[in-house]
Amino acid sequence: MFMQETMRWFGPHDIVRLSDIRQAGCEGVVTALHQIPVGEVWPIAAIEERKAMIEKEGMSWTVVESLPVSEDIKRQSGDYKTHIAYYKESLQNLAACGIKVITYNFMPVMDWVRTDISYTLPSGGKALYFERAAFIAFDLFMLKRPLAENDYTPAAIATAEHWWETHADAEKQAVFQNAMLGLPGSTGRFTPAEILAALDSYKGIDTARLKAHLFYFLREVVPVAESLGLKMAVHPDDPPYPVLGLPRIVSTAQDLRDIIASVPSPANGLCFCSGSLGVRPDNDLMSIIAELGAHIHFLHLRNTRRDEQGNFFEADHLNGDVDMVAVVRALLLLMKERRVALPVRPDHGHQLLDDHTKTTYPGYSAIGRLKGLAELRGLQRGLASILS
Ligand code: DNO
């Protein structure tokens, strides 16, 4: 049994077209109604319309990524009760349209963060990169977040000062632009004032409190998802540690364990993202699969390469810190045992060949992702022949 191969599509405005995804050999598409403001209901008509576009191209809408959780829900402020009621309504509507897997995250304010979205690899391909000193310099000297210095060691501040002194204005500007990128599926950027106001709105919300908010949300929505036959899949934090002083609570094996234990249900599950989890050396991906495999409903398979300074770049799918051969082997065995073909996407890809001439959503090039997917496909086929 092989994984169900998919790619993410950001909708009709994505310059990577559904027909490109089809040509990559995908049977499924991962998408979301990015046009609907976070917190509002996804109406059946809009879901059906999106579904029909995908089916017209000979594929199916396999996974929703993401049905976003509003900042009000994460903070338990303002309209959070209404937003939770709307979330349940969206789940009902998605289930009515036959969609089964729903991905979400619980990262406050920002989704994934990088400092460079076109980091040149030795091959000439380009990748996403997170440079810690540059990010701290952004925080301290560009964003000028109040009391930011309390979140870093003197040594980390010294590396950021060195970075600041040795980089040109254009490079600083590029880091600023990249760090302020808005949410996936939008081309917008936050303004410093917006970020600072959003950060301020999390004052007093520490790790324990944010976790309590997540568990409250899960206690509300998981029973609904379960009754509808849906699987919820929480996406890990990227990077998997606190950012800009905000707590992050989906970063470690213990976090994942706590989430699963908070509401025991087949509907309360995980998106296993090897790229996000793999950035922490203390995340042992093989033992996460062994322990929590029964709760994995969706796979993001990509690789990163980190260094001792806490920098990392997105490496070739089969050539980074994650032992992808071992991970795919463990996942194939897991699927066999569970008798389920899990949906997978290559997650991000490099910019290669004609990708360099196009502006896609960062990480979502066509050719780079096709390469990652094809490598994973070959790996699966090869392993399957040995395992059977
Ligand atoms: C990055 C993605 C994440 C992911 C969300 C899920 O490219 O993997 O943005 O979609 O965190 O909610």
Side-chain angles (χ1 to χ4, degrees):
M1 185 184 301
F2 297 117
M3 299 165 188
Q4 291 177 56
E5 293 175 358
T6 71
M7 270 197 201
R8 189 179 201 171
W9 183 56
F10 286 105
H13 302 297
D14 196 334
I15 67 161
V16 179
R17 294 158 305 177
L18 284 171
S19 55
D20 299 330
I21 295 176
R22 183 81 185 102
Q23 284 179 51
C26 293
E27 27 182 319
V29 171
V30 172
T31 192
L33 303 181
H34 296 281
Q35 73 275 19
I36 298 183
V38 177
E40 291 186 12
V41 176
W42 286 17
I44 290 196
I47 300 168
E48 287 292 6
E49 187 194 5
R50 178 64 60 92
K51 197 176 154 205
M53 286 177 199
I54 296 168
E55 288 174 357
K56 192 161 158 254
E57 297 291 334
M59 296 176 288
S60 57
W61 184 354
T62 313
V63 177
V64 169
E65 181 175 354
S66 305
L67 182 58
V69 178
S70 72
E71 297 302 310
D72 270 352
I73 294 178
K74 293 177 207 159
R75 285 184 306 239
Q76 289 206 350
S77 62
D79 288 334
Y80 78 99
K81 290 205 167 147
T82 312
H83 288 177
I84 290 179
Y86 287 173
Y87 203 97
K88 293 176 188 170
E89 215 174 311
S90 296
L91 291 178
Q92 271 154 4
N93 293 348
L94 286 162
C97 297
I99 293 162
K100 300 275 181 226
V101 183
I102 316 293
T103 311
Y104 68 100
N105 72 73
F106 219 78
M107 288 178 257
V109 185
M110 305 171 99
D111 198 297
W112 59 270
V113 187
R114 299 288 185 271
T115 54
D116 190 349
I117 56 171
S118 51
Y119 171 71
T120 306
L121 299 161
S123 64
K126 294 192 170 179
L128 304 184
Y129 181 51
F130 182 83
E131 187 182 3
R132 200 169 129 76
F135 190 75
I136 299 174
F138 155 76
D139 190 7
L140 295 174
F141 312 128
M142 294 189 254
L143 188 61
K144 299 195 170 83
R145 176 169 64 90
L147 301 177
E149 56 284 358
N150 294 348
D151 290 327
Y152 302 112
T153 62
I157 293 178
T159 60
E161 281 167 350
H162 179 72
W163 187 92
W164 187 251
E165 283 153 18
T166 51
H167 284 76
D169 280 351
E171 293 167 301
K172 293 174 184 168
Q173 211 37 45
V175 167
F176 183 77
Q177 295 289 324
N178 295 333
M180 304 289 272
L181 275 172
L183 300 175
S186 92
T187 46
R189 289 190 154 79
F190 292 107
T191 64
E194 279 166 355
I195 293 258
L196 291 173
L199 295 177
D200 195 54
S201 73
Y202 276 85
K203 227 169 26 204
I205 301 181
D206 60 6
T207 305
R209 198 151 150 217
L210 189 63
K211 259 197 179 176
H213 294 178
L214 169 57
F215 297 166
Y216 175 88
F217 168 72
L218 290 174
R219 281 196 299 275
E220 287 286 321
V221 301
V222 166
V224 176
E226 183 175 336
S227 72
L228 295 166
L230 298 177
K231 307 281 188 213
M232 302 281 297
V234 68
H235 188 282
D237 305 324
D238 182 4
Y241 40 74
V243 169
L244 300 179
L246 292 164
R248 298 270 224 181
I249 55 164
V250 194
S251 297
T252 65
Q254 189 56 45
D255 291 336
L256 301 180
R257 214 173 272 135
D258 292 346
I259 291 167
I260 297 302
S262 71
V263 185
S265 162
N268 182 17
L270 310 172
C271 168
F272 178 83
C273 178
S274 60
S276 302
L277 293 169
V279 161
R280 281 180 80 110
D282 59 347
N283 274 340
D284 176 350
L285 300 195
M286 297 301 285
S287 61
I288 292 176
I289 298 172
E291 183 187 341
L292 301 171
H295 307 279
I296 295 174
H297 300 314
F298 183 28
L299 306 169
H300 283 185
L301 296 183
R302 70 176 161 86
N303 223 323
T304 54
R305 175 80 68 188
R306 57 184 129 73
D307 64 20
E308 319 73 58
Q309 281 87 48
N311 310 317
F312 64 88
F313 68 92
E314 300 200 356
D316 282 320
H317 281 69
L318 303 189
N319 189 22
D321 295 315
V322 171
D323 181 349
M324 195 60 82
V325 177
V327 164
V328 169
R329 183 179 188 280
L331 292 169
L332 287 175
L333 291 171
L334 174 76
M335 294 195 318
K336 194 168 173 191
E337 189 189 312
R338 283 176 53 194
R339 295 168 196 272
V340 56
L342 291 170
V344 64
R345 63 181 188 85
D347 207 6
H348 306 160
H350 292 158
Q351 288 158 257
L352 305 174
L353 312 172
D354 282 8
D355 292 334
H356 294 294
T357 64
K358 296 178 182 145
T359 305
T360 56
Y361 293 98
Y364 291 92
S365 53
I367 298 172
R369 282 187 296 162
L370 165 60
K371 173 174 174 280
L373 182 69
E375 290 178 350
L376 292 167
R377 179 181 298 150
L379 177 58
Q380 279 198 74
R381 298 297 190 276
L383 281 170
S385 74
I386 298 169
L387 293 172
S388 62

PDB file of all heavy atoms in Angstrom, residues 8 65-66 103-105 107 111-112 184 235 300 345 347-348 364, ligand 1:
ATOM      1  N   ARG A   8       0.041  20.715  -2.412  1.00  0.00           N
ATOM      2  CA  ARG A   8      -0.793  21.817  -1.951  1.00  0.00           C
ATOM      3  C   ARG A   8      -1.071  22.760  -3.118  1.00  0.00           C
ATOM      4  O   ARG A   8      -0.182  23.056  -3.928  1.00  0.00           O
ATOM      5  CB  ARG A   8      -0.040  22.580  -0.865  1.00  0.00           C
ATOM      6  CG  ARG A   8      -0.877  23.608  -0.167  1.00  0.00           C
ATOM      7  CD  ARG A   8      -0.059  24.282   0.907  1.00  0.00           C
ATOM      8  NE  ARG A   8      -0.911  24.893   1.905  1.00  0.00           N
ATOM      9  CZ  ARG A   8      -0.457  25.410   3.042  1.00  0.00           C
ATOM     10  NH1 ARG A   8       0.819  25.387   3.322  1.00  0.00           N
ATOM     11  NH2 ARG A   8      -1.281  25.959   3.902  1.00  0.00           N
ATOM     12  N   GLU A  65      -6.060  22.094   4.281  1.00  0.00           N
ATOM     13  CA  GLU A  65      -4.920  22.693   4.989  1.00  0.00           C
ATOM     14  C   GLU A  65      -4.905  24.159   4.638  1.00  0.00           C
ATOM     15  O   GLU A  65      -4.629  24.502   3.503  1.00  0.00           O
ATOM     16  CB  GLU A  65      -3.608  22.057   4.565  1.00  0.00           C
ATOM     17  CG  GLU A  65      -2.427  22.651   5.306  1.00  0.00           C
ATOM     18  CD  GLU A  65      -1.106  21.949   4.982  1.00  0.00           C
ATOM     19  OE1 GLU A  65      -1.140  20.935   4.262  1.00  0.00           O
ATOM     20  OE2 GLU A  65      -0.083  22.432   5.425  1.00  0.00           O
ATOM     21  N   SER A  66      -5.215  24.951   5.615  1.00  0.00           N
ATOM     22  CA  SER A  66      -5.726  24.687   6.931  1.00  0.00           C
ATOM     23  C   SER A  66      -7.164  25.187   7.047  1.00  0.00           C
ATOM     24  O   SER A  66      -7.551  26.097   6.313  1.00  0.00           O
ATOM     25  CB  SER A  66      -4.925  25.500   7.946  1.00  0.00           C
ATOM     26  OG  SER A  66      -3.556  25.263   7.859  1.00  0.00           O
ATOM     27  N   THR A 103      -6.434  19.853   8.562  1.00  0.00           N
ATOM     28  CA  THR A 103      -5.192  20.276   9.216  1.00  0.00           C
ATOM     29  C   THR A 103      -5.380  21.673   9.798  1.00  0.00           C
ATOM     30  O   THR A 103      -6.079  22.507   9.212  1.00  0.00           O
ATOM     31  CB  THR A 103      -4.044  20.309   8.182  1.00  0.00           C
ATOM     32  OG1 THR A 103      -4.064  19.087   7.475  1.00  0.00           O
ATOM     33  CG2 THR A 103      -2.703  20.503   8.827  1.00  0.00           C
ATOM     34  N   TYR A 104      -4.744  21.893  10.926  1.00  0.00           N
ATOM     35  CA  TYR A 104      -4.784  23.226  11.550  1.00  0.00           C
ATOM     36  C   TYR A 104      -3.494  23.381  12.341  1.00  0.00           C
ATOM     37  O   TYR A 104      -2.736  22.421  12.516  1.00  0.00           O
ATOM     38  CB  TYR A 104      -6.003  23.346  12.482  1.00  0.00           C
ATOM     39  CG  TYR A 104      -5.910  22.465  13.705  1.00  0.00           C
ATOM     40  CD1 TYR A 104      -5.503  22.998  14.939  1.00  0.00           C
ATOM     41  CD2 TYR A 104      -6.144  21.094  13.633  1.00  0.00           C
ATOM     42  CE1 TYR A 104      -5.360  22.176  16.058  1.00  0.00           C
ATOM     43  CE2 TYR A 104      -5.997  20.276  14.742  1.00  0.00           C
ATOM     44  CZ  TYR A 104      -5.609  20.820  15.947  1.00  0.00           C
ATOM     45  OH  TYR A 104      -5.445  20.013  17.044  1.00  0.00           O
ATOM     46  N   ASN A 105      -3.228  24.603  12.786  1.00  0.00           N
ATOM     47  CA  ASN A 105      -2.087  24.780  13.686  1.00  0.00           C
ATOM     48  C   ASN A 105      -2.510  25.680  14.825  1.00  0.00           C
ATOM     49  O   ASN A 105      -3.593  26.287  14.778  1.00  0.00           O
ATOM     50  CB  ASN A 105      -0.874  25.343  12.936  1.00  0.00           C
ATOM     51  CG  ASN A 105      -1.044  26.801  12.566  1.00  0.00           C
ATOM     52  OD1 ASN A 105      -0.983  27.681  13.426  1.00  0.00           O
ATOM     53  ND2 ASN A 105      -1.298  27.068  11.297  1.00  0.00           N
ATOM     54  N   MET A 107      -0.202  28.060  16.209  1.00  0.00           N
ATOM     55  CA  MET A 107       0.916  28.987  16.391  1.00  0.00           C
ATOM     56  C   MET A 107       0.348  30.389  16.556  1.00  0.00           C
ATOM     57  O   MET A 107      -0.380  30.860  15.679  1.00  0.00           O
ATOM     58  CB  MET A 107       1.826  28.969  15.154  1.00  0.00           C
ATOM     59  CG  MET A 107       2.648  27.713  15.006  1.00  0.00           C
ATOM     60  SD  MET A 107       3.654  27.731  13.504  1.00  0.00           S
ATOM     61  CE  MET A 107       2.731  26.637  12.431  1.00  0.00           C
ATOM     62  N   ASP A 111       2.605  32.029  11.279  1.00  0.00           N
ATOM     63  CA  ASP A 111       2.752  30.614  10.910  1.00  0.00           C
ATOM     64  C   ASP A 111       4.263  30.384  10.785  1.00  0.00           C
ATOM     65  O   ASP A 111       5.025  30.865  11.617  1.00  0.00           O
ATOM     66  CB  ASP A 111       1.964  30.387   9.614  1.00  0.00           C
ATOM     67  CG  ASP A 111       1.647  28.932   9.319  1.00  0.00           C
ATOM     68  OD1 ASP A 111       2.601  28.167   9.139  1.00  0.00           O
ATOM     69  OD2 ASP A 111       0.468  28.553   9.255  1.00  0.00           O
ATOM     70  N   TRP A 112       4.745  29.728   9.759  1.00  0.00           N
ATOM     71  CA  TRP A 112       6.180  29.450   9.669  1.00  0.00           C
ATOM     72  C   TRP A 112       6.980  30.741   9.447  1.00  0.00           C
ATOM     73  O   TRP A 112       6.478  31.711   8.894  1.00  0.00           O
ATOM     74  CB  TRP A 112       6.476  28.414   8.595  1.00  0.00           C
ATOM     75  CG  TRP A 112       6.026  28.797   7.216  1.00  0.00           C
ATOM     76  CD1 TRP A 112       4.815  28.524   6.658  1.00  0.00           C
ATOM     77  CD2 TRP A 112       6.766  29.527   6.245  1.00  0.00           C
ATOM     78  NE1 TRP A 112       4.772  29.041   5.398  1.00  0.00           N
ATOM     79  CE2 TRP A 112       5.954  29.661   5.116  1.00  0.00           C
ATOM     80  CE3 TRP A 112       8.047  30.085   6.219  1.00  0.00           C
ATOM     81  CZ2 TRP A 112       6.377  30.331   3.972  1.00  0.00           C
ATOM     82  CZ3 TRP A 112       8.469  30.749   5.080  1.00  0.00           C
ATOM     83  CH2 TRP A 112       7.628  30.863   3.971  1.00  0.00           C
ATOM     84  N   PRO A 184       0.401  31.648   5.019  1.00  0.00           N
ATOM     85  CA  PRO A 184       0.455  30.899   3.762  1.00  0.00           C
ATOM     86  C   PRO A 184      -0.811  31.159   2.944  1.00  0.00           C
ATOM     87  O   PRO A 184      -1.896  31.246   3.512  1.00  0.00           O
ATOM     88  CB  PRO A 184       0.505  29.435   4.217  1.00  0.00           C
ATOM     89  CG  PRO A 184       0.906  29.465   5.642  1.00  0.00           C
ATOM     90  CD  PRO A 184       0.516  30.791   6.191  1.00  0.00           C
ATOM     91  N   HIS A 235      -0.753  20.634  12.970  1.00  0.00           N
ATOM     92  CA  HIS A 235       0.568  20.800  12.340  1.00  0.00           C
ATOM     93  C   HIS A 235       1.562  21.312  13.382  1.00  0.00           C
ATOM     94  O   HIS A 235       1.248  22.234  14.126  1.00  0.00           O
ATOM     95  CB  HIS A 235       0.465  21.804  11.187  1.00  0.00           C
ATOM     96  CG  HIS A 235       1.711  21.900  10.372  1.00  0.00           C
ATOM     97  ND1 HIS A 235       2.813  22.611  10.784  1.00  0.00           N
ATOM     98  CD2 HIS A 235       2.046  21.333   9.188  1.00  0.00           C
ATOM     99  CE1 HIS A 235       3.765  22.485   9.870  1.00  0.00           C
ATOM    100  NE2 HIS A 235       3.324  21.718   8.898  1.00  0.00           N
ATOM    101  N   HIS A 300       3.668  15.346   6.015  1.00  0.00           N
ATOM    102  CA  HIS A 300       4.464  16.343   5.283  1.00  0.00           C
ATOM    103  C   HIS A 300       5.883  15.819   5.319  1.00  0.00           C
ATOM    104  O   HIS A 300       6.488  15.772   6.396  1.00  0.00           O
ATOM    105  CB  HIS A 300       4.466  17.690   6.011  1.00  0.00           C
ATOM    106  CG  HIS A 300       3.217  18.485   5.861  1.00  0.00           C
ATOM    107  ND1 HIS A 300       3.095  19.768   6.373  1.00  0.00           N
ATOM    108  CD2 HIS A 300       2.049  18.219   5.250  1.00  0.00           C
ATOM    109  CE1 HIS A 300       1.883  20.229   6.092  1.00  0.00           C
ATOM    110  NE2 HIS A 300       1.233  19.319   5.411  1.00  0.00           N
ATOM    111  N   ARG A 345       2.263  14.941   1.349  1.00  0.00           N
ATOM    112  CA  ARG A 345       2.750  15.902   0.358  1.00  0.00           C
ATOM    113  C   ARG A 345       4.228  16.147   0.591  1.00  0.00           C
ATOM    114  O   ARG A 345       4.718  15.978   1.716  1.00  0.00           O
ATOM    115  CB  ARG A 345       1.903  17.170   0.310  1.00  0.00           C
ATOM    116  CG  ARG A 345       1.843  18.031   1.533  1.00  0.00           C
ATOM    117  CD  ARG A 345       0.908  19.217   1.253  1.00  0.00           C
ATOM    118  NE  ARG A 345       0.936  20.205   2.309  1.00  0.00           N
ATOM    119  CZ  ARG A 345       1.809  21.192   2.417  1.00  0.00           C
ATOM    120  NH1 ARG A 345       2.798  21.320   1.525  1.00  0.00           N
ATOM    121  NH2 ARG A 345       1.744  22.059   3.400  1.00  0.00           N
ATOM    122  N   ASP A 347       5.604  18.653   0.809  1.00  0.00           N
ATOM    123  CA  ASP A 347       5.671  19.901   1.558  1.00  0.00           C
ATOM    124  C   ASP A 347       6.354  20.946   0.691  1.00  0.00           C
ATOM    125  O   ASP A 347       5.848  21.245  -0.362  1.00  0.00           O
ATOM    126  CB  ASP A 347       6.360  19.677   2.912  1.00  0.00           C
ATOM    127  CG  ASP A 347       5.884  20.694   3.948  1.00  0.00           C
ATOM    128  OD1 ASP A 347       4.969  21.475   3.646  1.00  0.00           O
ATOM    129  OD2 ASP A 347       6.427  20.705   5.059  1.00  0.00           O
ATOM    130  N   HIS A 348       7.477  21.468   1.091  1.00  0.00           N
ATOM    131  CA  HIS A 348       8.118  22.510   0.274  1.00  0.00           C
ATOM    132  C   HIS A 348       9.053  21.878  -0.756  1.00  0.00           C
ATOM    133  O   HIS A 348       9.389  20.702  -0.648  1.00  0.00           O
ATOM    134  CB  HIS A 348       8.942  23.428   1.167  1.00  0.00           C
ATOM    135  CG  HIS A 348       8.158  24.005   2.293  1.00  0.00           C
ATOM    136  ND1 HIS A 348       8.718  24.523   3.413  1.00  0.00           N
ATOM    137  CD2 HIS A 348       6.819  24.138   2.466  1.00  0.00           C
ATOM    138  CE1 HIS A 348       7.776  24.953   4.241  1.00  0.00           C
ATOM    139  NE2 HIS A 348       6.615  24.724   3.690  1.00  0.00           N
ATOM    140  N   TYR A 364       6.654  26.819  -2.454  1.00  0.00           N
ATOM    141  CA  TYR A 364       5.657  26.062  -3.230  1.00  0.00           C
ATOM    142  C   TYR A 364       5.877  26.147  -4.738  1.00  0.00           C
ATOM    143  O   TYR A 364       4.955  26.401  -5.507  1.00  0.00           O
ATOM    144  CB  TYR A 364       4.241  26.479  -2.809  1.00  0.00           C
ATOM    145  CG  TYR A 364       3.960  25.989  -1.404  1.00  0.00           C
ATOM    146  CD1 TYR A 364       4.218  26.785  -0.300  1.00  0.00           C
ATOM    147  CD2 TYR A 364       3.523  24.687  -1.184  1.00  0.00           C
ATOM    148  CE1 TYR A 364       4.017  26.311   0.994  1.00  0.00           C
ATOM    149  CE2 TYR A 364       3.313  24.207   0.096  1.00  0.00           C
ATOM    150  CZ  TYR A 364       3.560  25.022   1.176  1.00  0.00           C
ATOM    151  OH  TYR A 364       3.372  24.537   2.447  1.00  0.00           O
TER     152      TYR A 364
HETATM  153  C1  DNO B   1       4.109  25.600   5.553  1.00  0.00           C
HETATM  154  C2  DNO B   1       3.012  24.753   6.017  1.00  0.00           C
HETATM  155  C3  DNO B   1       2.296  25.375   7.195  1.00  0.00           C
HETATM  156  C4  DNO B   1       1.015  24.649   7.465  1.00  0.00           C
HETATM  157  C5  DNO B   1       0.183  25.198   8.567  1.00  0.00           C
HETATM  158  C6  DNO B   1      -0.913  24.213   8.910  1.00  0.00           C
HETATM  159  O1  DNO B   1       4.406  25.610   4.403  1.00  0.00           O
HETATM  160  O2  DNO B   1       3.363  23.463   6.229  1.00  0.00           O
HETATM  161  O3  DNO B   1       2.026  26.700   6.877  1.00  0.00           O
HETATM  162  O4  DNO B   1       0.216  24.695   6.341  1.00  0.00           O
HETATM  163  O5  DNO B   1       0.928  25.496   9.684  1.00  0.00           O
HETATM  164  O6  DNO B   1      -1.904  24.826   9.633  1.00  0.00           O
END
